[in-house]
């Protein structure tokens, strides 16, 4: 192929989970979860990080036996530069082929052209390859295939092309990855949380499944926020359909509680009472019963117990107490932090901030419902653990999940909402509900750092009306952020927030409120997004609808809190 005399850099991808906060300067972090209508992995490949590697490009990688990465590019000639490295193991031999395909074509479509064959990445050696490719338009599909039982690995991809070439949209129906300006949101945005919440609830009712579940896939944590949104909307509007659907889902949750008080992290669709002893043992061996996921849905159960009546109310409270007393409480450590419970065959080894946060919220809510001080004390200790090492620059000090990046506590960028929304809600809920006044001050002080630090939330927002994210899973959770802006506006004066600080938060809150109330804008976060018909799955992690039910639930609780401040914390 004859090269262009002048070529520019079209894209630079660093393959990693964007939630790790590993930023290679000049590269776009991209992992297995859908993040843009312009490029994506259509296979659920594995993300990997290597200890002891300082260069962020070399630290992270995608690794698997097979994987197909697609990029939207105009027809033309391109130079691909790939980086391969693993300090700990050899990979290969593997092959790389390319095909020009329609964006929605099944994996393996088109006529593949060999770019690299028999690649071997020696342990501890950096391998870089440059290849030329002619693309006829649409999606450029890059297929990595391990030979036999071998795996492939890829750390980074750079694409050079003509000066006229730009990344192209592959899926016009997908939410755009471009944010509007603040001026446009102010001018054209709606400021009507009542209408927005009603729309969200009606949409959620339509997602109630014939098998009795409401969520994404079968994960209970994705049901938590839709349920809480429906319950809050019932309390605001008095619409019985909202509560009926929420309680039908929660009835199934309660029926699936294990004899230990635990819940599995996925909806089984079969009551525990129907299981034989061998089946119970199989469930315990095969399923996660982790606090991070389950805590969030038990919080929804406790919240709903205030809205239901009679025998159902007693059953919900009893199930929540059984979970807290006989299962979750045992995982709180002397520090106040929680480990993550049971992980399909073994107990979690490490403290985990998200498990601590969802437990803090659940115990705080249960303490408010039962008036039993022991639950508030568990929540207090958990919140103190979460806030004690918060950085003045805004970044929370995170204890990651067992074996997750970076394998030790670290200061996490504030835009990693996949962890931090749970942490913020845990400390906010406990602070609002705690009978100890100083706990609220400690929680609000952490929130103040998070908002105003040099690397804090308001700095990360910049001149945009919302916070940019590299994947839909993270974006979906950001829909809850107005709750914490609103809380600081209400309570910030208690810790001496200045008028300037309150004005900055108010400005950000009003813009985020309009953004969330306006479907044209909130669609970008996955809210009320229709499930697409894709060969690799409409609600898989490789789709813009991967977290749409959860995203809509997060937005729902934020909107309910706008209408009736404090409702999501049972005030």
């Amino acid at each position: 192929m004859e090269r262009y005399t002048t070529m520019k850099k079209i894209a630079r991808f660093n393959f990693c989970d964007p939630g790790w906060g590993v930023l290679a300067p000049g590269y776009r972090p991209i992992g297995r979860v859908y993040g843009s209508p312009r490029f994506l992995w259509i296979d659920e490949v594995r993300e990997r990080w290597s200890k002891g590697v300082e260069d962020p490009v070399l630290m992270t990688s995608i690794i698997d036996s097979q994987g197909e990465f697609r990029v939207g590019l105009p027809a033309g000639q391109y130079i691909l530069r790939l980086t391969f490295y693993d300090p700990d193991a050899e990979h290969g031999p593997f092959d790389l082929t390319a095909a020009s395909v329609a964006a929605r074509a099944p994996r393996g479509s088109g006529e593949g052209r060999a770019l690299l064959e028999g690649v071997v990445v020696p342990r501890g050696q950096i391998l870089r390859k440059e290849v030329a490719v002619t693309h006829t338009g649409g999606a450029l599909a890059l297929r990595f295939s391990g030979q036999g039982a071998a795996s492939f690995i890829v750390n980074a991809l750079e694409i050079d092309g003509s000066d006229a070439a730009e990344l192209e949209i592959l899926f016009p129906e997908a939410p755009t990855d471009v944010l509007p300006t603040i001026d446009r949101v102010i001018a054209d945005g709606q400021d009507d949380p009542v209408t927005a919440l009603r729309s969200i609830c009606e949409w959620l009712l339509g997602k109630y499944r014939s098998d009795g579940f409401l969520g994404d896939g079968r994960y209970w944590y994705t049901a938590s926020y839709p349920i809480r949104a429906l319950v809050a909307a019932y309390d605001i509007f008095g619409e019985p359909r909202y509560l009926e659907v929420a309680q039908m889902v929660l009835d199934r949750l309660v029926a699936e509680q294990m004899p230990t008080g635990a819940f599995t992290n996925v909806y089984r669709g079969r009551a525990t009472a129907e299981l034989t002893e061998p089946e119970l043992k199989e469930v315990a061996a095969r399923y996660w019963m982790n606090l991070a996921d389950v805590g969030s849905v038990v919080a929804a159960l406790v919240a709903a117990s205030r809205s239901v009546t009679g025998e159902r109310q007693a059953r919900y409270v009893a199930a929540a107490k059984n979970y807290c007393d006989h299962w979750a409480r045992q995982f709180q450590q002397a520090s106040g932090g929680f480990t993550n419970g049971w992980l399909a065959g073994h107990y979690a080894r490490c403290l985990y901030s998200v498990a601590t946060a969802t437990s803090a919220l659940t115990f705080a809510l249960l303490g408010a419902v039962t008036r039993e001080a022991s639950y508030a004390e568990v929540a207090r200790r958990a919140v103190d653990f979460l806030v004690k090492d918060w950085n003045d620059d805004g970044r929370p000090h995170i204890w990651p999940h067992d074996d997750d990046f970076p394998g030790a506590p670290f200061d996490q960028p504030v835009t990693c909402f996949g962890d931090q929304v749970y942490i913020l809600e845990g400390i906010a809920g406990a602070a609002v509900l705690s009978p100890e006044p100083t706990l609220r001050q400690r929680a609000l002080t952490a929130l103040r750092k998070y908002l105003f630090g040099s690397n804090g939330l308001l700095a990360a927002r910049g001149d945009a009306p919302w916070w940019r994210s590299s994947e839909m899973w993270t974006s979906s959770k950001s829909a809850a952020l107005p709750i914490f802006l609103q809380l600081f506006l209400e309570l910030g004066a208690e810790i001496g927030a200045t008028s300037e600080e309150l004005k900055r938060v108010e400005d950000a809150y009003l813009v985020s409120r309009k953004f969330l109330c306006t479907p044209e804008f909130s669609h970008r976060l996955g809210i009320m997004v229709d499930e697409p018909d894709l060969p690799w799955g409409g609600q898989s992690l490789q789709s813009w609808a991967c977290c749409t039910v959860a995203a809509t639930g997060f937005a729902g609780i934020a909107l309910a809190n706008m209408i009736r401040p404090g409702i999501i914390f049972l005030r």
Side-chain angles (χ1 to χ4, degrees), residues 184-476:
R184 173 135 191 271
V185 172
I186 292 172
D188 299 339
Q190 303 162 20
D191 190 6
D192 185 358
V194 169
T195 298
L197 180 59
R198 285 189 181 276
S199 297
I200 274 176
C201 289
E202 294 299 323
W203 186 90
L204 287 172
L205 294 188
K207 297 302 176 182
Y208 177 66
R209 300 188 331 208
S210 59
D211 66 356
F213 189 64
L214 175 66
D216 297 302
R218 299 179 69 82
Y219 290 100
W220 273 117
Y221 82 90
T222 67
S224 171
Y225 292 87
I227 289 169
R228 287 174 61 195
L230 288 170
V231 170
Y234 166 76
D235 291 341
I236 292 169
F237 302 130
E239 172 53 65
R241 294 178 300 134
Y242 300 161
L243 184 61
E244 287 168 5
V245 167
Q247 69 189 21
M248 283 192 293
V249 181
L250 290 172
D251 285 351
R252 290 178 177 268
L253 172 72
V254 172
E256 292 192 2
Q257 188 167 31
M258 298 292 285
T260 58
F263 294 91
T264 55
N265 71 325
V266 297
Y267 173 59
R268 304 193 310 269
R270 190 176 175 198
T272 299
E274 299 174 1
L275 302 179
T276 64
E277 279 299 319
E279 288 172 329
L280 280 172
K281 291 181 180 179
E282 183 182 4
V283 168
R286 288 181 49 209
Y287 288 86
W288 282 33
M289 289 177 272
N290 61 321
L291 272 60
D293 284 14
V294 173
S296 65
V297 76
V298 178
L301 180 69
V302 178
S305 72
R306 288 274 289 262
S307 299
V308 299
T309 58
E311 182 276 334
R312 178 175 275 116
Q313 183 181 67
R315 182 158 36 95
Y316 285 8
V317 173
K321 292 186 68 172
N322 188 16
Y323 169 79
C324 289
D325 293 340
H326 300 124
W327 181 252
R329 194 188 295 259
Q330 67 181 303
F331 300 109
Q332 189 171 36
Q333 307 300 298
S335 63
F338 281 77
T339 64
N340 202 23
W342 181 256
L343 310 179
H346 69 278
Y347 288 106
R349 301 183 306 276
C350 303
L351 293 170
Y352 183 31
S353 293
V354 177
T356 304
T358 61
S359 298
L361 180 63
T362 299
F363 276 84
L365 292 173
L366 188 58
V369 167
T370 65
R371 304 297 182 188
E372 295 182 33
S374 65
Y375 297 122
E377 174 60 15
V378 171
R380 180 198 67 76
R381 293 178 57 217
V383 169
D384 277 338
F385 172 82
L386 292 170
V387 304
K388 68 183 179 70
D389 294 318
W390 211 292
N391 283 271
D392 289 339
D393 72 0
R395 294 173 299 159
H397 193 65
I398 296 294
W399 290 72
H401 184 265
D402 284 17
D403 301 321
D404 275 4
F405 175 89
F410 71 113
D411 301 327
Q412 190 180 62
V414 296
T415 51
C416 296
F417 305 123
D419 288 342
Q420 289 170 27
V421 161
Y422 299 109
I423 293 168
L424 292 168
E425 191 182 26
I427 66 173
V432 166
L433 295 169
S434 175
E436 182 188 346
T438 59
L439 179 63
R440 183 153 79 186
Q441 294 176 0
R442 294 193 293 278
L444 289 172
T445 298
L447 179 58
R448 189 183 195 178
K449 294 177 181 178
Y450 184 82
L451 293 174
F452 298 105
S454 58
N455 290 312
L457 191 70
L458 295 180
R461 173 176 172 260
D463 59 357
W466 201 266
W467 294 267
R468 293 178 174 87
S469 175
S470 296
E471 59 178 19
M472 290 299 289
W473 185 80
T474 299
S475 293
S476 69

Side-chain angles (χ1 to χ4, degrees), residues 68 70 97-102 104-114 136-137 139-141 143:
E68 183 169 326
R70 292 187 179 176
T97 60
S100 298
V101 301
R104 310 171 73 90
R107 61 173 53 84
S109 298
E111 182 179 349
R113 305 179 298 280
T136 59
L140 175 63
R143 294 170 188 146

Side-chain angles (χ1 to χ4, degrees), residues 114-170:
L115 299 182
L116 296 171
E117 295 181 294
V119 178
V120 174
V121 182
R123 173 183 175 181
Q125 295 185 30
I126 302 170
L127 180 66
R128 291 188 170 95
K129 296 286 187 178
E130 179 178 301
V131 294
V133 62
T134 300
H135 177 48
T136 59
L140 175 63
L142 301 176
R143 294 170 188 146
F144 299 85
S145 304
Q147 295 180 4
S151 61
F152 79 87
I153 187 170
V154 60
N155 303 72
L157 166 67
E158 300 181 35
I159 303 175
D160 291 359
S162 72
D163 288 341
E166 302 285 350
L167 292 178
E168 294 186 336
I169 296 290
L170 291 171

